[in-house]
Amino acid sequence: MTLKKLVGFESFRSPFPQLSMESSDSRNKLHSRLRLWEFPDQYIIEPADGAGAPCLEISRVDASMKLIDRVAESNSLRVPKIHSIFGVVGMLKLLAGSYLVVVTESERVGSFLGHPIFKITSLKVLPCDHSLKNSPEEQKKMETEFSRLLSVAEKTTGLYFSYEVNLTLSSQRLHDLGEESKSLPLWRQAEQRFLWNNYMLEVLIDNKVDQFLLPVIQGNILFFETAIGKDIVDVTLIARRCTRRNGTRMWRRGADADGYVANFVETEQIVQMNGYSSSFVQVRGSIPFMWEQVVDLTYKPKFEIVQPEEATRTAERHFLDLRKKYGSVFAVDLVNKHGGEGRLSEKFASVMQHLTGDDIRYLHFDFHQICGHIHFERLSILYEQIESFLEKNGYFLMNDKGEKMKEQLGVVRTNCIDCLDRTNVTQSMIGRKMLELQLKRIGVFGAEETISSHLNFDERYKILWANHGDDISIQYSGTPALKGDFVRYGHRTAQGVLKDGWSSLVRYYLNNFADGTKQDAIDLLQGHYIVAVSRDTAPVPQKGGLEAVANFPVALAVVLLSFWFATMSLKQVGSDYKHKHLFFSFLWTGICVGITALVRANGRIFCNRPRLHKPRG
């Protein structure tokens, strides 16, 4: 489906039945077109999609806000800058100033149950910090430090919204909403754990400006259409990232004490055809007890189980929450049975012995041992072991009259270590099998027909899941998913293996030298830490000595260059200057080892560790 840059809002209607989420009260309808008036002392957000709607006025001095009837006339002393914006994401308060976050660019990517969906391509942070002028000098310095995190926040990827439909709920849960809930503003209908800007909306909620409150999810929403005979099949994949323990790869692992896990993502696959709509939901999430990998500049830091005596209680909270939200749960653990991962796998299996029963099942499947690096077709062994659960718990199906014909009663929960690469390959296999069942039920496929029987369908389905895996991986690790060539092409490729090697190197760099700052920005945006002045607050230390000149990106560049020269030298070993090239190969390798040793010796200098703020609550 062609992406369209959002410069206007043309009418669009899906040929499939709609689940109407529009409020019966026009006061709850979101403004879809807004004009931002930027005055020296205030911001005014004016609705541009209808006459007579009140404007939102926000002070640039103290961030107070109120609704006004219209924009005041400008004069030579108050000349405003005027911009088009497409939504208000929320407001953040730092030490002295507050900061308004708005959508400045978006693009239409398709529809969800007949309602247009937009992807945010540009956020802008607008300061309301004039009061900072009267703040102490130290506070100004700290405000500058924290406000820099907001520039990181502006680069957040994978954000989506709709003016008309609640994206935080699956098709089945939307269908089951009562009429009273459907009449509420979208932010009040929202599933809080998937509402990316939940914390940032609090100030606006307190000021009762529902028509400006834009709910946003993080994840991805992908679509494609294909023909099977004379029928058009529309396939949608939606990922909803949980905000409870959101973060980056090495800085958010395992679960917290409440059972919320890192990298928890709900993936919903929807197929629509001939008036029928059917969806299937599966989830992924980190191993559900407290464990961590402390970043120490090694390629694969040691796995540490934290408070092992609490593991069963933590996992129990996690699975009780899943049971409440999804019904029966089948946990599929893909981690290695030996090595560092083996300790986690052993602990997980031990914990699950206390939790498994009729509604909670557990299976360990050593992905690397069984499938290796190329034999992913052996996932059929896994499918045989979960097939009866999938058939019993089914999927959601709605007919052309909007009536529920079938509902999903349980969910498969998949994890590896990162819940990215092995997990995505496995989830794409499960999604494929379930989509085939759905198409057979609707009457599109015959008893022996499969997706691979239709080459165009098969190719586009692989690309859909490969892009899905890449997006989820970029948000958590900073790189596309590994093993993505198998999902994309159905087999491993030499180019895919090389790409995985490069991605692994980039992950190493990001984990050690960039993700700490990114984690701070995430915690700030989502209210996991509240900025506050305390007696323990100390000035940021000035860098000196080696720390003043140490720059790991430069060191990394030298290491990569050294490896390149070593590789080029080794390629010439068969020439007449064999001993000379071998000498230079060892020389460049020695440089690599020396730089690596220097970096590790000064890990406390180079390593980018998050700064702790005051915990929320």
Side-chain angles (χ1 to χ4, degrees):
M1 183 171 291
T2 303
L3 298 182
K4 298 180 180 178
K5 202 69 171 182
L6 189 56
V7 294
F9 295 83
E10 70 267 31
S11 175
F12 175 86
R13 287 298 167 197
S14 167
F16 306 107
Q18 296 185 20
L19 288 176
S20 178
M21 293 295 111
E22 289 138 354
S23 171
S24 58
D25 187 341
S26 62
R27 290 175 299 177
N28 291 335
K29 186 176 180 181
L30 277 173
H31 294 304
S32 58
R33 300 176 66 184
L34 299 166
R35 189 176 295 115
L36 173 67
W37 297 71
E38 189 174 340
F39 290 98
D41 59 340
Q42 63 185 192
Y43 299 112
I44 295 180
I45 300 174
E46 177 191 22
D49 54 1
C55 305
L56 179 60
E57 178 187 278
I58 303 168
S59 169
R60 297 183 67 171
V61 178
D62 60 7
S64 61
M65 60 181 69
K66 64 182 179 180
L67 294 175
I68 60 175
D69 292 333
R70 62 182 182 275
V71 181
E73 292 184 7
S74 57
N75 54 51
S76 58
L77 298 178
R78 286 182 85 243
V79 179
K81 297 177 182 178
I82 304 174
H83 318 273
S84 291
I85 62 173
F86 302 101
V88 179
V89 173
M91 181 172 281
L92 283 169
K93 181 173 177 56
L94 298 186
L95 290 172
S98 294
Y99 299 81
L100 182 68
V101 185
V102 299
V103 180
T104 54
E105 292 182 27
S106 63
E107 57 190 13
R108 170 114 167 246
V109 294
S111 67
F112 176 50
L113 302 174
H115 301 279
I117 297 176
F118 303 92
K119 179 179 181 179
I120 296 175
T121 55
S122 179
L123 289 174
K124 186 171 181 60
V125 176
L126 303 172
C128 304
D129 60 353
H130 288 187
S131 61
L132 192 61
K133 297 175 182 178
N134 301 320
S135 301
E137 196 62 32
E138 186 58 40
Q139 193 167 332
K140 289 180 181 179
K141 290 180 181 179
M142 293 181 64
E143 183 84 2
T144 301
E145 286 291 313
F146 287 121
S147 63
R148 284 175 184 165
L149 294 177
L150 298 182
S151 64
V152 177
E154 285 181 327
K155 300 173 185 175
T156 303
T157 61
L159 302 179
Y160 296 82
F161 67 90
S162 173
Y163 299 111
E164 300 177 5
V165 66
N166 181 358
L167 295 180
T168 66
L169 297 182
S170 66
S171 304
Q172 180 168 311
R173 295 190 66 190
L174 278 173
H175 183 276
D176 293 342
L177 273 184
E179 290 302 319
E180 184 177 348
S181 295
K182 292 177 182 179
S183 68
L184 296 173
L186 286 180
W187 71 267
R188 294 194 64 186
Q189 299 176 26
E191 170 70 71
Q192 300 300 306
R193 62 189 175 133
F194 294 135
L195 186 58
W196 178 78
N197 56 333
N198 183 34
Y199 172 64
M200 287 185 280
L201 287 177
E202 287 183 0
V203 174
L204 282 81
I205 290 171
D206 290 342
N207 283 274
K208 298 179 173 59
V209 288
D210 288 348
Q211 289 179 296
F212 294 92
L213 298 174
L214 183 67
V216 176
I217 67 167
Q218 186 179 32
N220 74 350
I221 303 179
L222 302 169
F223 308 80
F224 77 84
E225 288 183 346
T226 190
I228 299 180
K230 296 182 180 180
D231 297 314
I232 301 297
V233 177
D234 186 296
V235 180
T236 303
L237 206 55
I238 300 180
R240 304 176 178 95
R241 178 175 295 282
C242 181
T243 64
R244 302 297 193 198
R245 191 165 168 75
N246 200 2
T248 57
R249 180 171 173 254
M250 286 294 180
W251 300 98
R252 281 293 180 270
R253 293 296 210 187
D256 62 17
D258 295 320
Y260 295 117
V261 297
N263 201 24
F264 184 89
V265 179
E266 176 186 280
T267 297
E268 180 180 16
Q269 178 178 272
I270 305 169
V271 58
Q272 295 174 303
M273 181 176 174
N274 293 340
Y276 287 87
S277 181
S278 182
S279 83
F280 172 70
V281 171
Q282 49 186 323
V283 298
R284 69 178 76 190
S286 194
I287 296 175
F289 49 79
M290 288 180 276
W291 62 276
E292 64 183 9
Q293 281 181 285
V294 178
V295 176
D296 59 3
L297 295 169
T298 58
Y299 178 72
K300 194 171 185 179
K302 185 179 179 182
F303 298 102
E304 295 288 349
I305 299 175
V306 181
Q307 299 181 25
E309 69 280 0
E310 292 294 318
T312 300
R313 188 175 291 106
T314 302
E316 182 179 25
R317 291 189 183 111
H318 175 73
F319 280 99
L320 285 176
D321 184 58
L322 292 184
R323 282 275 296 109
K324 180 180 178 181
K325 290 180 170 66
Y326 299 103
S328 300
V329 183
F330 200 128
V332 177
D333 179 22
L334 303 173
V335 304
N336 300 343
K337 199 160 190 174
H338 304 288
E341 292 186 11
R343 291 182 57 240
L344 295 179
S345 175
E346 183 180 354
K347 186 65 175 178
F348 194 11
S350 173
V351 164
M352 293 307 293
Q353 287 181 357
H354 302 282
L355 303 179
T356 52
D358 294 338
D359 296 324
I360 299 177
R361 297 178 62 183
Y362 168 80
L363 171 68
H364 178 260
F365 182 85
D366 191 328
F367 187 102
H368 284 151
Q369 182 179 16
I370 298 172
C371 299
H373 295 288
I374 56 175
H375 296 293
F376 297 165
E377 72 280 356
R378 293 176 184 169
L379 282 172
S380 60
I381 299 171
L382 169 62
Y383 182 73
E384 290 171 359
Q385 297 179 74
I386 64 175
E387 184 176 12
S388 60
F389 177 89
L390 291 169
E391 291 179 349
K392 177 182 177 182
N393 290 282
Y395 47 83
F396 172 68
L397 177 63
M398 184 173 64
N399 64 19
D400 55 356
K401 298 178 182 178
E403 300 168 338
K404 182 166 62 176
M405 301 177 63
K406 185 178 177 65
E407 65 180 340
Q408 185 172 344
L409 302 173
V411 70
V412 174
R413 180 203 189 278
T414 309
N415 75 268
C416 48
I417 290 298
D418 298 328
C419 304
L420 296 176
D421 314 316
R422 288 171 279 184
T423 295
N424 201 61
V425 173
T426 303
Q427 286 198 335
S428 68
M429 177 274 293
I430 295 172
R432 174 180 287 258
K433 295 290 188 181
M434 294 306 294
L435 181 55
E436 290 171 348
L437 289 177
Q438 291 166 304
L439 291 173
K440 289 174 184 177
R441 172 65 186 272
I442 295 173
V444 179
F445 277 1
E448 302 301 322
E449 204 168 358
T450 64
I451 292 173
S452 56
S453 305
H454 304 270
L455 295 182
N456 184 60
F457 194 172
D458 185 49
E459 180 182 357
R460 300 195 70 179
Y461 186 77
K462 289 173 181 174
I463 292 172
L464 181 82
W465 268 94
N467 291 341
H468 170 80
D470 285 347
D471 288 350
I472 296 304
S473 180
I474 287 169
Q475 292 161 25
Y476 187 55
S477 73
T479 74
L482 309 185
K483 306 177 179 67
D485 53 335
F486 178 81
V487 180
R488 194 176 297 274
Y489 305 115
H491 58 85
R492 295 240 63 181
T493 64
Q495 184 180 2
V497 173
L498 290 173
K499 183 180 177 183
D500 285 358
W502 174 252
S503 292
S504 297
L505 185 60
V506 173
R507 284 184 182 183
Y508 171 81
Y509 168 72
L510 294 175
N511 295 159
N512 285 277
F513 310 105
D515 283 349
T517 299
K518 185 177 178 181
Q519 185 65 57
D520 278 347
I522 292 172
D523 288 338
L524 190 64
L525 285 177
Q526 305 200 325
H528 297 158
Y529 292 100
I530 306 300
V531 178
V533 180
S534 69
R535 296 175 187 172
D536 300 327
T537 301
V540 179
Q542 298 297 313
K543 296 180 180 180
L546 178 61
E547 188 173 1
V549 296
N551 188 319
F552 185 78
V554 174
L556 179 65
V558 175
V559 171
L560 293 176
L561 190 62
S562 301
F563 271 121
W564 184 81
F565 275 118
T567 302
M568 292 300 101
S569 296
L570 285 172
K571 283 185 177 180
Q572 302 296 325
V573 165
S575 70
D576 295 337
Y577 299 96
K578 178 177 180 179
H579 298 293
K580 178 180 178 181
H581 286 294
L582 278 173
F583 169 76
F584 279 110
S585 295
F586 285 118
L587 175 64
W588 289 117
T589 303
I591 293 174
C592 294
V593 172
I595 291 174
T596 302
L598 175 66
V599 170
R600 289 200 60 186
N602 294 280
R604 63 182 179 83
I605 293 173
F606 299 130
C607 202
N608 183 302
R609 297 195 179 273
R611 294 154 298 211
L612 293 181
H613 311 150
K614 182 180 177 182
R616 186 180 182 186

